[in-house]
Amino acid sequence: MVSLKKKKIKGHIYWYAVEMARVGGKPKQVWQKYLGTAEKIIELKEKSEELPHIKLKSFQYGKTAALFSISGELNFIDIVNKHTNKKQIEGLTVGQYLLLNIIGRCDGALSENDIQKWFDKSSMSILWKFPHKLTCQNFLNHYKYIDHETSKKIEDDLCKVLIEKGITPKILFLDETNWFNYIKKVEELAQNGNNKQYRNHMKQISMGLAVSEDNVPFMHEVYEGNKHDSKIFPELIDALTERLNNLKITTEEMILVFDKGNNSEINIKDVMSKMHIVASAKHNQAEELLYVSLEDYKYLYTNSKGNEIYGYRKKYELFGEDFTTVVLYNEASHKKQKKSYEASKAKICERLEDLKRRLGSNRGKERDKSSVEREFNDIIYKDFRSVFGHKVGEIQEGKKKPSLEIWIEKEVEELRYAGFGKTIVFTDMHTWHSEKIAKTYNQKYLVEDDFKLLNDVLLVPVGPINHHKDFNIRAHIFLCIIGMIFYRYLAWKCKYLGLSLRRLVEELEGIRVALVQGKKGGKVDLVVEEMDAKQARLFSLLDLGKFM
């Protein structure tokens, strides 16, 4: 038991809290805490009675309030309401429903069924009061107001606001991705295709995304999961050109960066009729450039990982056009790719030797040629099918199994080795120096980062897609893209703090508020809990106190 004990030191009385316990059968002081003089104790007691120190409930506030604030800056609710035709009746508007869906998903509510639970436990329930229930059906009912054309108009207006804020794209990075779908009863969008998450047995939905050099999305287009990237590319270019025209951006001055999966003579001519390009070629589209001696390469720059980048520059004809072509070389990538290739090749060779051993034995079941072909193809990784040659022989008399001959295609493997660590970049920007061409192409990681963001369950995840109607799938992905626009604009506003988006979100999540009440009851107040220096700067920069 803790009790008070006074001590007289040099004529002055001081008070301590002490705890006694029996040690070895005898009472002994085991703990002591200095409290101060009687006057000091009385002063602290009187001050404590003035402070609201009973915490009733604590909420994550920073991220939620920041997204709420960003939606206001971008005028999201008014833009949505302008382009939707819901009658002005009592209740939330379409824009308000959509905003709640976006912020909820960014905060972990991964389905419309979860949003009411999230809302009740989040700081949004303090910032925004209304009597309506946030049911799944209410959200689905409001999806019907944002058809494909309406969502385009909303994105147009949001992009106009971004440009007014100072985010005007001069370079756009275009790429495609996809997400698998758990729903089996689907319409036209969800189809089987080459899935990025290796779920080829499941239906998938595909999307093309164009982002600016500030990493802000300026166009997205959802399409069927079984369409190849190169086939959908013309439609993406048309959608992108339409968006730029609506934003009054001259396409002739725009530079588009895209990957080799979109290459074809028709696609290259199509995009060059509208804008400039920086793109990459497959190794087999410019084989002779891979065999140029490294002595002819020139140092360009050192990347963020400390790796030196070299380049060999030449005018080269690709897809019927003369391009300025720069072959980039990264020694670190060369070593990594070579090591990976040889490790995979060794595994394949080991399994093929085992297959040959089993075929050479007369034990076991009989095998026909087709079963051997199937097993051979199962062993060979997709990237190695051009490297390994083979021939399945006839079944000889007295044998139960066919023979198998295997060899390495030397020319194919030599080309593979020649290409390790190399990227063939081509452009019609002939006046650019090689370093700028290289850095511009390598910035395509920006759109890849946005795909990571759309897959991050802690930020603004697209998956899992649990809708089966195409209309709702488009609306769902549209809202995720808007959430990403919010995040990217937030990062742009805070760029001078030098924080990555993930670190920025972590700092904002650490800003919390509490409902507190005085010791004797009465008024309940909302107060900000203790913040560190970075959080205080963010709180001030984003004016998060305005909602309190």
Side-chain angles (χ1 to χ4, degrees):
M1 179 183 291
V2 178
S3 59
L4 290 176
K5 181 178 180 180
K6 69 177 180 179
K7 294 183 181 181
K8 189 172 184 179
I9 303 173
K10 295 183 179 180
H12 299 284
I13 301 296
Y14 298 97
W15 289 90
Y16 292 79
V18 298
E19 184 174 1
M20 304 294 291
R22 285 193 169 272
V23 179
K26 297 181 179 180
K28 185 176 180 180
Q29 181 177 303
V30 294
W31 177 85
Q32 170 180 287
K33 179 74 173 178
Y34 173 70
L35 301 176
T37 63
E39 291 79 8
K40 188 66 175 179
I41 293 171
I42 293 170
E43 179 187 346
L44 291 173
K45 181 178 182 300
E46 289 174 348
K47 284 185 177 180
S48 69
E49 290 175 351
E50 297 172 5
L51 296 174
H53 61 280
I54 300 178
K55 184 188 294 187
L56 302 178
K57 199 169 185 180
S58 179
F59 302 90
Q60 181 280 119
Y61 175 78
K63 183 173 79 170
T64 303
L67 292 171
F68 198 30
S69 177
I70 292 300
S71 73
E73 283 193 46
L74 298 181
N75 204 24
F76 175 73
I77 291 176
D78 289 342
I79 287 174
V80 173
N81 293 340
K82 181 179 78 172
H83 292 293
T84 49
N85 58 359
K86 181 181 177 182
K87 293 180 180 179
Q88 294 297 314
I89 57 176
E90 184 181 355
L92 298 175
T93 66
V94 179
Q96 290 171 327
Y97 264 110
L98 298 188
L99 180 59
L100 284 167
N101 186 297
I102 293 165
I103 297 179
R105 194 162 188 86
C106 290
D107 210 17
L110 299 186
S111 75
E112 287 75 11
N113 283 319
D114 295 332
I115 293 181
Q116 182 68 61
K117 294 177 184 176
W118 159 78
F119 183 85
D120 292 340
K121 295 179 180 179
S122 78
S123 54
M124 281 298 289
S125 61
I126 301 171
L127 305 180
W128 198 349
K129 299 288 187 182
F130 50 82
H132 312 289
K133 290 292 183 183
L134 301 176
T135 64
C136 177
Q137 192 58 52
N138 275 339
F139 283 103
L140 295 179
N141 289 342
H142 285 79
Y143 278 1
K144 67 183 180 182
Y145 294 101
I146 50 169
D147 57 31
H148 188 44
E149 289 305 313
T150 301
S151 66
K152 281 187 171 183
K153 292 175 182 177
I154 293 170
E155 276 191 52
D156 277 345
D157 282 1
L158 281 174
C159 289
K160 288 174 185 176
V161 176
L162 291 170
I163 290 171
E164 290 171 4
K165 298 288 186 184
I167 305 175
T168 303
K170 295 181 176 61
I171 303 173
L172 287 169
F173 302 85
L174 178 65
D175 205 352
E176 300 88 6
T177 192
N178 51 50
W179 294 276
F180 60 85
N181 188 314
Y182 285 111
I183 306 299
K184 293 183 179 180
K185 293 182 179 180
V186 294
E187 296 180 350
E188 294 181 7
L189 278 179
Q191 300 289 337
N192 287 103
N194 187 22
N195 187 258
K196 306 285 186 182
Q197 288 91 31
Y198 307 104
R199 302 289 189 94
N200 293 342
H201 62 289
M202 302 180 76
K203 304 290 185 183
Q204 68 180 25
I205 297 96
S206 297
M207 183 193 75
L209 180 69
V211 307
S212 72
E213 60 268 43
D214 290 305
N215 216 353
V216 178
F218 268 82
M219 187 279 297
H220 87 281
E221 197 71 23
V222 178
Y223 58 93
E224 294 84 351
N226 59 351
K227 284 190 176 180
H228 191 272
D229 292 349
S230 62
K231 300 295 183 184
I232 198 68
F233 189 74
E235 295 179 35
L236 298 180
I237 294 301
D238 289 343
L240 182 57
T241 304
E242 181 183 357
R243 171 61 45 80
L244 294 174
N245 288 335
N246 291 342
L247 299 177
K248 295 181 171 54
I249 294 175
T250 305
T251 57
E252 288 82 3
E253 298 175 2
M254 182 62 62
I255 295 160
L256 185 68
V257 181
F258 55 91
D259 210 355
K260 52 185 173 287
N262 299 299
N263 287 350
S264 74
E265 189 166 337
I266 294 174
N267 286 348
I268 298 298
K269 289 185 183 299
D270 181 32
V271 68
M272 285 183 65
S273 69
K274 301 176 175 68
M275 57 192 83
H276 298 289
I277 66 171
V278 177
S280 67
K282 296 178 181 178
H283 285 176
N284 60 8
Q285 292 168 339
E287 292 182 10
E288 65 184 88
L289 296 180
L290 299 178
Y291 290 102
V292 173
S293 171
L294 291 178
E295 293 178 357
D296 294 326
Y297 282 65
K298 293 182 179 179
Y299 169 79
L300 299 182
Y301 66 98
T302 300
N303 67 16
S304 59
K305 295 180 179 179
N307 300 323
E308 293 182 342
I309 308 299
Y310 292 83
Y312 171 77
R313 181 176 181 135
K314 184 180 180 179
K315 279 285 183 68
Y316 195 81
E317 184 179 330
L318 289 162
F319 312 105
E321 300 281 344
D322 283 333
F323 289 105
T324 293
T325 306
V326 182
V327 184
L328 306 178
Y329 177 71
N330 181 336
E331 185 180 5
S333 294
H334 175 277
K335 291 178 180 177
K336 184 177 179 181
Q337 291 169 11
K338 180 182 177 183
K339 182 179 179 181
S340 174
Y341 173 83
E342 291 177 346
S344 297
K345 180 184 174 183
K347 287 181 182 178
I348 292 171
C349 288
E350 184 179 345
R351 294 180 66 187
L352 289 176
E353 285 300 318
D354 179 64
L355 174 59
K356 287 185 68 176
R357 180 189 57 78
R358 286 186 280 114
L359 293 175
S361 169
N362 234 15
R363 295 182 179 180
K365 295 181 180 179
E366 293 183 358
R367 299 283 299 268
D368 58 19
K369 292 176 68 174
S370 61
S371 75
V372 175
E373 284 282 1
R374 285 196 301 271
E375 184 172 354
F376 177 86
N377 289 326
D378 287 342
I379 290 172
I380 305 297
Y381 305 152
K382 183 179 178 181
D383 290 345
F384 283 81
R385 285 179 185 164
S386 61
V387 176
F388 284 88
H390 75 288
K391 180 181 178 182
V392 181
E394 299 295 332
I395 301 176
Q396 300 297 320
E397 186 176 348
K399 299 285 187 181
K400 298 166 62 177
K401 304 165 189 174
S403 62
L404 176 63
E405 184 182 356
I406 302 168
W407 65 89
I408 300 293
E409 299 286 359
K410 293 297 183 183
E411 289 185 3
V412 175
E413 187 169 63
E414 284 174 6
L415 178 63
R416 188 70 65 90
Y417 272 91
F420 289 151
K422 293 176 183 173
T423 306
I424 303 170
V425 180
F426 62 93
T427 181
D428 62 337
M429 300 299 291
H430 303 296
T431 60
W432 279 15
H433 52 75
S434 300
E435 180 183 350
K436 185 172 183 179
I437 294 170
K439 286 184 174 179
T440 300
Y441 178 76
N442 285 332
Q443 271 189 293
K444 68 181 178 63
Y445 73 84
L446 294 174
V447 68
E448 293 163 0
D449 278 356
D450 278 355
F451 290 152
K452 291 177 184 177
L453 178 61
L454 291 170
N455 287 314
D456 194 326
V457 73
L458 300 176
L459 294 174
V460 55
V462 170
I465 297 178
N466 293 313
H467 300 285
H468 63 272
K469 291 186 177 180
D470 288 355
F471 195 98
N472 289 338
I473 290 172
R474 289 185 184 277
H476 167 79
I477 294 177
F478 164 74
L479 293 176
C480 291
I481 295 296
I482 300 301
M484 187 165 65
I485 290 174
F486 286 3
Y487 272 129
R488 291 306 186 193
Y489 177 66
L490 173 65
W492 180 80
K493 280 196 70 172
C494 301
K495 60 185 175 183
Y496 298 110
L497 298 180
L499 301 174
S500 67
L501 178 60
R502 177 171 288 280
R503 180 69 190 280
L504 172 62
V505 171
E506 288 174 355
E507 293 290 349
L508 286 170
E509 286 179 330
I511 299 175
R512 300 183 65 84
V513 295
L515 291 173
V516 295
Q517 188 176 39
K519 235 182 179 183
K520 296 181 179 179
K523 184 181 177 184
V524 175
D525 291 314
L526 184 66
V527 299
V528 182
E529 295 184 3
E530 185 177 354
M531 297 183 287
D532 62 27
K534 279 194 179 71
Q535 291 167 343
R537 287 184 70 186
L538 286 169
F539 193 91
S540 174
L541 175 64
L542 301 172
D543 193 19
L544 300 185
K546 63 186 176 184
F547 299 118
M548 298 176 63

